[in-house]
Amino acid sequence: MHEDTNGDGRDSGSGTSSRGVEQGDREFLSLERELTVLLRRARANQGEMAREVHPDLESAAYGLLVRLEECGRQRATELAGYIGVGKATMSRQLRALEQLGLVAREPDPADGRAWLVDLTEEGRTRVSRVREARRERYVTHFSDWDRREVSELARLLHQLNRGMEK
Protein backbone atom coordinates (compact mmCIF):
# COMPACT_ATOMS: atom_id res chain seq x y z
CA MET A 1 0.00 0.00 0.00
CA HIS A 2 1.31 3.46 -0.93
CA GLU A 3 1.39 6.14 1.79
CA ASP A 4 0.94 9.69 0.48
CA THR A 5 2.93 12.04 2.72
CA ASN A 6 4.18 15.56 2.28
CA GLY A 7 7.69 14.85 3.56
CA ASP A 8 7.14 15.74 7.24
CA GLY A 9 5.47 12.49 8.30
CA ARG A 10 1.91 13.78 7.96
CA ASP A 11 -0.58 11.96 5.82
CA SER A 12 -1.70 14.62 3.35
CA GLY A 13 -5.30 13.50 3.34
CA SER A 14 -6.35 12.10 6.72
CA GLY A 15 -5.39 14.78 9.24
CA THR A 16 -3.09 12.42 11.13
CA SER A 17 0.59 11.71 10.81
CA SER A 18 2.00 8.36 9.81
CA ARG A 19 2.48 7.73 13.55
CA GLY A 20 -1.20 8.38 14.34
CA VAL A 21 -0.66 11.78 15.98
CA GLU A 22 -3.35 14.34 15.30
CA GLN A 23 -1.95 17.35 13.45
CA GLY A 24 -3.31 19.66 16.15
CA ASP A 25 -1.28 17.76 18.74
CA ARG A 26 2.04 18.15 16.92
CA GLU A 27 2.58 21.55 18.50
CA PHE A 28 2.12 20.07 21.96
CA LEU A 29 4.52 17.23 21.24
CA SER A 30 7.04 19.79 20.03
CA LEU A 31 6.45 21.84 23.19
CA GLU A 32 6.96 18.76 25.36
CA ARG A 33 10.22 17.91 23.59
CA GLU A 34 11.62 21.44 23.89
CA LEU A 35 10.56 21.80 27.52
CA THR A 36 12.23 18.48 28.33
CA VAL A 37 15.52 19.73 26.89
CA LEU A 38 15.16 23.12 28.58
CA LEU A 39 14.37 21.60 31.98
CA ARG A 40 17.25 19.12 31.74
CA ARG A 41 19.66 21.96 30.98
CA ALA A 42 18.10 24.17 33.67
CA ARG A 43 18.61 21.47 36.31
CA ALA A 44 22.25 21.12 35.32
CA ASN A 45 22.72 24.90 35.36
CA GLN A 46 20.99 25.20 38.72
CA GLY A 47 23.43 22.67 40.16
CA GLU A 48 26.37 24.67 38.79
CA MET A 49 25.01 27.92 40.18
CA ALA A 50 24.35 26.33 43.57
CA ARG A 51 27.95 25.10 43.76
CA GLU A 52 29.17 28.58 42.80
CA VAL A 53 27.24 30.03 45.74
CA HIS A 54 28.67 27.39 48.09
CA PRO A 55 30.29 24.02 47.29
CA ASP A 56 27.99 22.23 49.77
CA LEU A 57 24.75 23.84 48.59
CA GLU A 58 22.04 21.51 47.25
CA SER A 59 20.89 22.55 43.81
CA ALA A 60 17.24 22.64 44.92
CA ALA A 61 18.06 25.29 47.54
CA TYR A 62 19.38 27.75 44.96
CA GLY A 63 15.83 28.80 44.04
CA LEU A 64 15.13 29.65 47.68
CA LEU A 65 18.11 31.97 47.79
CA VAL A 66 17.04 33.71 44.58
CA ARG A 67 13.50 34.14 45.94
CA LEU A 68 14.83 35.68 49.16
CA GLU A 69 17.12 38.00 47.22
CA GLU A 70 14.25 39.19 45.04
CA CYS A 71 11.46 39.39 47.64
CA GLY A 72 13.20 39.83 50.97
CA ARG A 73 12.44 38.02 54.16
CA GLN A 74 9.55 35.59 54.20
CA ARG A 75 7.96 32.91 56.31
CA ALA A 76 9.03 29.35 55.59
CA THR A 77 5.43 28.49 54.67
CA GLU A 78 5.44 31.21 51.98
CA LEU A 79 8.68 29.86 50.57
CA ALA A 80 7.37 26.29 50.63
CA GLY A 81 4.23 27.36 48.77
CA TYR A 82 6.18 29.29 46.16
CA ILE A 83 8.70 26.50 45.53
CA GLY A 84 6.02 23.79 45.77
CA VAL A 85 7.42 21.64 48.56
CA GLY A 86 6.12 20.52 51.94
CA LYS A 87 6.95 21.99 55.34
CA ALA A 88 9.34 19.17 56.24
CA THR A 89 11.35 19.59 53.03
CA MET A 90 11.45 23.36 53.51
CA SER A 91 12.60 23.02 57.12
CA ARG A 92 15.39 20.66 56.09
CA GLN A 93 16.56 23.00 53.30
CA LEU A 94 16.45 26.06 55.55
CA ARG A 95 18.43 24.26 58.28
CA ALA A 96 21.10 23.39 55.72
CA LEU A 97 21.19 27.00 54.46
CA GLU A 98 21.52 28.27 58.04
CA GLN A 99 24.39 25.87 58.71
CA LEU A 100 26.15 27.23 55.61
CA GLY A 101 25.68 30.77 56.91
CA LEU A 102 23.55 31.82 53.91
CA VAL A 103 20.24 32.49 55.69
CA ALA A 104 19.11 33.46 59.17
CA ARG A 105 15.77 33.21 60.93
CA GLU A 106 14.23 35.85 63.15
CA PRO A 107 10.90 36.02 64.97
CA ASP A 108 8.05 37.51 62.94
CA PRO A 109 7.07 40.75 64.70
CA ALA A 110 3.49 40.31 63.42
CA ASP A 111 3.21 36.80 64.91
CA GLY A 112 5.53 35.70 67.70
CA ARG A 113 4.92 32.04 66.88
CA ALA A 114 6.25 32.38 63.32
CA TRP A 115 9.74 32.96 61.96
CA LEU A 116 10.97 35.02 59.04
CA VAL A 117 13.84 33.81 56.88
CA ASP A 118 16.24 36.19 55.15
CA LEU A 119 19.62 36.10 53.47
CA THR A 120 22.63 36.88 55.60
CA GLU A 121 25.08 39.45 54.24
CA GLU A 122 27.30 36.54 53.17
CA GLY A 123 24.35 34.87 51.44
CA ARG A 124 23.35 38.10 49.70
CA THR A 125 26.90 38.71 48.46
CA ARG A 126 27.31 35.17 47.13
CA VAL A 127 23.90 35.00 45.44
CA SER A 128 24.33 38.44 43.85
CA ARG A 129 27.74 37.48 42.47
CA VAL A 130 26.42 34.24 40.92
CA ARG A 131 23.30 35.90 39.49
CA GLU A 132 25.37 38.68 37.91
CA ALA A 133 27.66 36.11 36.29
CA ARG A 134 24.58 34.22 35.02
CA ARG A 135 23.10 37.45 33.61
CA GLU A 136 26.36 38.11 31.76
CA ARG A 137 26.21 34.60 30.27
CA TYR A 138 22.65 35.22 29.10
CA VAL A 139 23.75 38.46 27.46
CA THR A 140 26.46 36.52 25.62
CA HIS A 141 24.21 33.57 24.66
CA PHE A 142 21.44 35.83 23.41
CA SER A 143 23.67 38.44 21.76
CA ASP A 144 22.25 37.64 18.33
CA TRP A 145 18.65 38.01 19.56
CA ASP A 146 16.76 41.26 19.38
CA ARG A 147 16.05 42.60 22.88
CA ARG A 148 12.33 42.50 22.09
CA GLU A 149 12.65 38.74 21.43
CA VAL A 150 14.36 38.26 24.79
CA SER A 151 11.60 40.28 26.43
CA GLU A 152 8.93 38.23 24.65
CA LEU A 153 10.59 34.97 25.73
CA ALA A 154 10.65 36.19 29.34
CA ARG A 155 6.99 37.21 29.08
CA LEU A 156 5.96 33.83 27.66
CA LEU A 157 7.95 31.90 30.28
CA HIS A 158 6.31 34.01 32.99
CA GLN A 159 2.91 33.21 31.48
CA LEU A 160 3.82 29.51 31.42
CA ASN A 161 4.95 29.57 35.05
CA ARG A 162 1.81 31.40 36.17
CA GLY A 163 -0.35 28.91 34.29
CA MET A 164 1.39 25.98 35.96
CA GLU A 165 0.65 27.42 39.43
CA LYS A 166 -3.07 26.81 38.91
Side-chain angles (χ1 to χ4, degrees), residues 70-105:
E70 290 181 348
C71 299
R73 62 188 189 165
Q74 295 183 33
R75 289 183 178 186
T77 53
E78 291 172 311
L79 288 168
Y82 176 76
I83 300 293
V85 298
K87 288 180 185 179
T89 300
M90 183 55 56
S91 292
R92 182 184 59 75
Q93 288 182 345
L94 290 175
R95 253 191 323 277
L97 290 171
E98 277 186 297
Q99 291 171 348
L100 295 174
L102 301 174
V103 302
R105 295 184 217 207

Side-chain angles (χ1 to χ4, degrees), residues 125-143:
T125 299
R126 287 175 178 244
V127 171
S128 293
R129 186 185 72 238
V130 170
R131 290 191 79 198
E132 178 58 24
R134 173 58 54 191
R135 187 198 61 76
E136 289 175 10
R137 283 183 233 151
Y138 286 145
V139 168
T140 300
H141 287 143
F142 292 97
S143 64

Side-chain angles (χ1 to χ4, degrees), residues 1-152:
M1 171 164 215
H2 179 263
E3 186 175 25
D4 185 19
T5 65
N6 61 7
D8 66 359
R10 287 184 290 152
D11 179 19
S12 60
S14 70
T16 61
S17 75
S18 59
R19 293 186 187 160
V21 176
E22 292 293 325
Q23 286 182 16
D25 290 342
R26 295 174 68 79
E27 297 85 357
F28 292 100
L29 289 173
S30 178
L31 174 64
E32 187 269 339
R33 179 184 60 248
E34 296 304 327
L35 282 174
T36 299
V37 172
L38 176 67
L39 293 172
R40 187 177 338 113
R41 288 179 179 159
R43 277 191 296 275
N45 286 334
Q46 185 172 350
E48 290 173 22
M49 290 182 289
R51 286 185 296 280
E52 288 176 25
V53 170
H54 192 284
D56 297 328
L57 183 64
E58 289 183 31
S59 88
Y62 179 77
L64 293 174
L65 298 175
V66 169
R67 179 69 173 180
L68 289 169
E69 183 191 42
E70 290 181 348
C71 299
R73 62 188 189 165
Q74 295 183 33
R75 289 183 178 186
T77 53
E78 291 172 311
L79 288 168
Y82 176 76
I83 300 293
V85 298
K87 288 180 185 179
T89 300
M90 183 55 56
S91 292
R92 182 184 59 75
Q93 288 182 345
L94 290 175
R95 253 191 323 277
L97 290 171
E98 277 186 297
Q99 291 171 348
L100 295 174
L102 301 174
V103 302
R105 295 184 217 207
E106 61 185 55
D108 184 344
D111 181 353
R113 300 167 298 170
W115 293 84
L116 294 173
V117 180
D118 201 2
L119 291 173
T120 61
E121 277 307 310
E122 178 70 14
R124 192 168 312 286
T125 299
R126 287 175 178 244
V127 171
S128 293
R129 186 185 72 238
V130 170
R131 290 191 79 198
E132 178 58 24
R134 173 58 54 191
R135 187 198 61 76
E136 289 175 10
R137 283 183 233 151
Y138 286 145
V139 168
T140 300
H141 287 143
F142 292 97
S143 64
D144 58 340
W145 284 43
D146 184 282
R147 292 268 176 160
R148 290 174 299 216
E149 292 174 317
V150 175
S151 179
E152 179 67 1

